Amino acid sequence: MEEGLKTADPHDCSAYTGWTGIALLYLQLYRVTEEPTYLQRTLDYVKRILRNLNGRRVTFLCGDAGPLAVGAVVYHKLKNDSESKECVTKLLQLQRTIVSTDSDLPDELLYGRAGYLYALLYLNTEIGPDTVSQSAIKEVVDVILESGKNLSKEERKTDRCPLLYQWHRKQYIGAAHGVAGIYYMLMQPAANLDQETLTELVKPSIDYVRHKKFRSGNYPSSLSNETDRLVHWCHGAPGVIHMLLQAYKIFKEDKYLKDAMECSDVIWQRGLLRKGYGICHGTAGNGYSFLSLYHLTQDKKYLYRACKFAEWCLEYGAHGCRIPDRPYSLFEGMAGAIHFLSDILVPETSRFPAFELGSEKKDDKVEDDS
C-alpha cells in the first residue's frame, strides 16, 4: 500500500479517498496494537494534510472537518494540547456555513451536515465529552431536524416519515447519501437528542424506510427505486444495517434486530463484490456488518461470517475485481481492506471507520440464549 501511495493524488486530503484516510488507518493500527510507531506514522500524515486543506467541503469523510478532527485527536494522544486545540478551533469555525439558512448544503453523511456532525461527535468520543460544547452540537442537530421536517412537509409525508432528506433531488436510503446515515447520526447518544424527538420524529421515519425493504431483505438505493441490485455500504443492506442496529439499541424493539439479521443474510449471500475490497462499495465495508452484529449479539455465527469475508480480502487482487480510481484509499481500496482485517483481531471493539463512535458498553449487549 505504501508503495502504491507514491503515485496517489498529493492534493487529496479527504478521509474518503485521500491522506486523512491513511492517517485513520495508522491510528486504527495504533489502537489495535498499541505500537507507538503507528502513532508517529499517523502524525506524519496529519502534518501533511493540515498543510493542504482546500476549504471546499466541510464533512468528516470528504471535507476539511476530517483532517482537522483527526489532527486534533492525534495531537491530543501525543499530549500536544496547543496544536490539538488549534485544530478544534478551526473545525468549529466551519460551523457558520453548516447552520446558515442561506446555505444549500445537503444533510447527508458524505458532503452534508451529518458528516460535519460526525466530526464533532468524534472529537467528544476520542478526546473528551466537553471538547465540543453541547450547544454547538445542538445547533447542528437542530438544523438537520428542521431540514428533514421541511422536506417531509413539502412532500406531504409528515405523518408517515416526519424526517425526509434528499441529495441531488433524489431521496436516497443508503448510509452515504441517504436517510440511513442521517438517522444513524441523530441516534448517537452523544448527539443528545431528547427521547420525545427520537420517538416522534426519528422512529417513525426509520419504520417508513423499513417498509421499503425488498422481499429479499435488501433495501433500494432510493425511495423511488424498485431495483434489488446494490449490496453496498453506500446503497443497500450493508449501510442500512447500522441504522437498524442503532435503532435496536435506542428503542429496544426486536423488530429492528430482526431486520438487521435479515440484512446480514443478504450480505452473506450477495456481499462478495467484484467492485473491489474497500469500505464504501467493497467487500470490507460489507464485512463490517457482521462485526457490528457480533459486537452487539456475541453470536459467533457473525464472527465466522466476518472472518470468511476477511479471507476474501486477504487474497487481495486474486478475484478479478475492478480496480478502483483510488486503489490504495480507505473507502475505495486497500487501506479499507487493511482496516477491516485489523478489526478482525479485536472483534469485541470493532469500529467501522469514520462511522461508529467508540465502543459499546457491556450492558448494551444482547444476551446469548444459545
Side-chain angles (χ1 to χ4, degrees), residues 121-190:
L121 302 190
Y122 175 77
L123 289 178
N124 279 6
T125 300
E126 296 292 331
I127 297 178
D130 299 321
T131 307
V132 176
S133 70
Q134 289 305 312
S135 61
I137 291 171
K138 185 178 186 302
E139 191 177 27
V140 178
V141 168
D142 285 348
V143 77
I144 293 173
L145 291 172
E146 198 61 32
S147 177
K149 289 190 285 188
N150 288 341
L151 183 62
S152 181
K153 187 176 180 180
E154 285 177 29
E155 297 287 322
R156 298 180 181 178
K157 291 183 178 178
T158 301
D159 293 335
R160 292 170 292 160
C161 185
L163 297 176
L164 188 62
Y165 300 93
Q166 64 183 12
W167 184 70
H168 286 190
R169 301 186 179 277
K170 204 165 186 177
Q171 293 161 13
Y172 286 100
I173 288 177
H177 298 301
V179 295
I182 299 169
Y183 300 157
Y184 177 89
M185 290 308 306
L186 292 174
M187 286 188 288
Q188 291 300 309

Side-chain angles (χ1 to χ4, degrees), residues 11-240:
H11 304 294
D12 185 351
C13 296
S14 73
Y16 187 86
T17 54
W19 300 104
T20 300
I22 307 304
L24 278 168
L25 171 61
Y26 278 108
L27 196 56
Q28 158 74 358
L29 294 176
Y30 172 70
R31 183 179 75 85
V32 170
T33 67
E34 298 184 352
E35 172 55 55
T37 56
Y38 287 130
L39 186 59
Q40 184 58 48
R41 201 80 181 93
T42 307
L43 177 63
D44 294 341
Y45 281 111
V46 161
K47 288 179 176 178
R48 174 178 186 162
I49 57 184
L50 291 178
R51 289 195 299 265
N52 291 284
L53 300 182
N54 58 41
R56 290 199 300 269
R57 290 174 177 152
V58 293
T59 63
F60 187 92
L61 287 176
C62 295
D64 285 0
L68 289 168
V70 174
V73 168
V74 172
Y75 281 124
H76 171 74
K77 288 182 181 297
L78 291 167
K79 304 190 185 308
N80 190 334
D81 289 341
S82 61
E83 296 283 359
S84 180
K85 288 176 181 177
E86 184 179 347
C87 288
V88 174
T89 298
K90 288 180 178 178
L91 174 61
L92 292 175
Q93 287 171 355
L94 302 174
Q95 184 135 338
R96 240 180 315 173
T97 303
I98 304 297
V99 301
S100 171
T101 54
D102 298 327
S103 170
D104 59 355
L105 197 70
D107 297 284
E108 43 87 270
L109 196 66
L110 249 60
Y111 303 119
R113 295 184 179 96
Y116 179 77
L117 176 62
Y118 179 89
L120 302 185
L121 302 190
Y122 175 77
L123 289 178
N124 279 6
T125 300
E126 296 292 331
I127 297 178
D130 299 321
T131 307
V132 176
S133 70
Q134 289 305 312
S135 61
I137 291 171
K138 185 178 186 302
E139 191 177 27
V140 178
V141 168
D142 285 348
V143 77
I144 293 173
L145 291 172
E146 198 61 32
S147 177
K149 289 190 285 188
N150 288 341
L151 183 62
S152 181
K153 187 176 180 180
E154 285 177 29
E155 297 287 322
R156 298 180 181 178
K157 291 183 178 178
T158 301
D159 293 335
R160 292 170 292 160
C161 185
L163 297 176
L164 188 62
Y165 300 93
Q166 64 183 12
W167 184 70
H168 286 190
R169 301 186 179 277
K170 204 165 186 177
Q171 293 161 13
Y172 286 100
I173 288 177
H177 298 301
V179 295
I182 299 169
Y183 300 157
Y184 177 89
M185 290 308 306
L186 292 174
M187 286 188 288
Q188 291 300 309
N192 272 331
L193 221 60
D194 62 90
Q195 193 60 42
E196 182 180 356
T197 301
L198 286 166
T199 302
E200 294 185 2
L201 298 181
V202 180
K203 188 172 185 288
S205 301
I206 291 171
D207 288 338
Y208 180 78
V209 172
R210 287 178 55 243
H211 292 132
K212 298 296 179 180
K213 179 178 64 176
F214 293 123
R215 287 185 179 181
S216 68
N218 194 27
Y219 285 78
S221 60
S222 65
L223 294 178
S224 60
N225 195 311
E226 298 180 359
T227 305
D228 183 358
R229 185 170 63 89
L230 302 178
V231 185
H232 308 158
W233 174 78
C234 49
H235 298 296
V240 175

